[in-house]
Amino acid sequence: MNTNSNYLKSAKSEFLRYKLLGEKAMEQLEPGQLFFSSNEESNSIAAIVKHMYGNMLSRWTDFLTSDGEKPWRDRDAEFEITGYDKEELLRQWEAGWACLFTATDALKEEQLTEIIYLRQEAHTVIEAINRQLTHYVYHVGQIIFVAKQLKKGPWNSLSIAKGKSKEFNGTKM
């Protein structure tokens, strides 16, 4: 397996890892908590999910053949949450990720150095994947942070729980 194959496998694995972390955070909340925003400048988890969905559809639809900022995308509307419930939000979450995985699963290693465009700016496919991966990690981190603030009762840690590092490390020896 060459470096490009390893890169694709690693990138897909990281996308999946952060998708699952976001899901595990959202699962710990009551449905109404997904729509809570502490102030006008803050986004609810719902707004973050809706934004990620819009971004994913725009970036990953016709990934290799059209600009990643599609003319039909209304980015500003992604932060307006009206008429949504938890089921619609989770449907969009799954649809966005499905679009991403369909595009990445179709990639061939020889395509990784091809040039594509995001907002009319040239990127290699590797650069575009890295850009999107870091963008989604940023937002999943926001989802986790907000979820931990809103959780009523104990938080089920998504990594190594506080005070449990030695115990965790002991299982790896």
Side-chain angles (χ1 to χ4, degrees):
M1 192 178 290
N2 73 30
T3 303
N4 287 343
S5 296
N6 289 337
Y7 171 79
L8 275 173
K9 183 178 178 184
S10 176
K12 289 178 200 177
S13 176
E14 288 301 295
F15 279 125
L16 181 58
R17 184 160 74 101
Y18 283 94
K19 176 185 184 289
L20 295 174
L21 284 172
E23 290 168 0
K24 287 179 180 180
M26 290 187 283
E27 286 170 0
Q28 296 189 52
L29 299 178
E30 300 296 322
Q33 292 176 307
L34 297 170
F35 299 88
F36 173 80
S37 176
S38 61
N39 60 56
E40 285 188 29
E41 292 299 316
S42 297
N43 291 314
S44 65
I45 290 172
I48 296 166
V49 169
K50 188 177 176 189
H51 166 63
M52 289 178 69
Y53 167 71
N55 179 277
M56 288 173 171
L57 290 186
S58 186
R59 296 295 186 262
W60 298 101
T61 300
D62 302 324
F63 177 66
L64 297 173
T65 58
S66 67
D67 192 287
E69 187 65 18
K70 304 297 186 281
W72 44 259
R73 182 180 183 203
D74 184 357
R75 185 183 181 281
D76 292 335
E78 293 167 9
F79 298 96
E80 298 171 12
I81 306 299
T82 55
Y84 274 74
D85 59 16
K86 180 179 180 178
E87 291 72 31
E88 175 60 16
L89 203 65
L90 296 179
R91 185 197 68 72
Q92 287 187 347
W93 175 263
E94 289 299 328
W97 287 103
C99 186
L100 178 155
F101 288 122
T102 297
T104 57
D105 287 346
L107 284 174
K108 309 275 186 279
E109 55 192 68
E110 59 270 11
Q111 294 173 306
L112 293 176
T113 56
E114 288 181 17
I115 300 298
I116 65 162
Y117 292 87
L118 301 175
R119 294 191 172 134
Q120 301 178 15
E121 181 182 333
H123 296 71
T124 65
V125 169
I126 288 176
E127 290 169 337
I129 291 171
N130 288 343
R131 177 176 170 163
Q132 293 313 115
L133 180 59
T134 58
H135 183 212
Y136 304 146
V137 168
Y138 170 79
H139 286 310
V140 169
Q142 290 176 319
I143 289 169
I144 294 167
F145 179 80
V146 171
K148 286 176 85 170
Q149 303 304 305
L150 295 174
K151 173 74 169 148
K152 295 176 182 165
W155 175 257
N156 296 321
S157 180
L158 305 179
S159 62
I160 302 168
K162 282 185 178 180
K164 300 291 184 180
S165 294
K166 286 184 182 180
E167 181 181 321
F168 177 83
N169 289 339
T171 67
K172 300 296 178 185
M173 306 258 172

